[in-house]
Amino acid sequence: QRLARVARVDEDDMLNVRSGPSEYHDAVGIISPRGRGVIVTGACIAEWCPIRHGKISGWVNRYYLTEDRPRR
């Protein structure tokens, strides 16, 4: 498991969490553009990573994730 945060999402937009590893799967939730503490729960498939964020589990495109380093 890796800890990630949302990146490259406009402030007035949201990151869709999908039911499967492509944009053709239904959205099962959203994460704020400032979302932190996204847990990557397994191996990514192509550009899609399985994640958990709060009560939401699903898939997001890795383009929109970056490593979440602890704040100091």
Side-chain angles (χ1 to χ4, degrees):
Q1 293 186 338
R2 298 188 324 269
L3 200 57
R5 64 179 171 84
V6 176
R8 297 181 280 279
V9 175
D10 291 335
E11 283 297 314
D12 62 346
D13 202 358
M14 299 293 266
L15 176 60
N16 284 316
V17 180
R18 303 281 179 177
S19 62
S22 83
E23 68 272 19
Y24 302 111
H25 287 85
D26 291 336
V28 295
I30 54 175
I31 303 174
S32 151
R34 294 184 183 166
R36 297 181 71 102
V38 178
I39 300 168
V40 179
T41 59
C44 299
I45 298 175
E47 295 302 312
W48 294 83
C49 299
I51 63 98
R52 186 173 71 246
H53 185 257
K55 295 180 180 178
I56 301 168
S57 292
W59 296 80
V60 298
N61 192 298
R62 73 168 72 201
Y63 176 80
Y64 299 107
L65 297 176
T66 191
E67 182 181 355
D68 193 3
R69 294 186 181 97
R71 295 180 190 185
R72 295 183 184 215

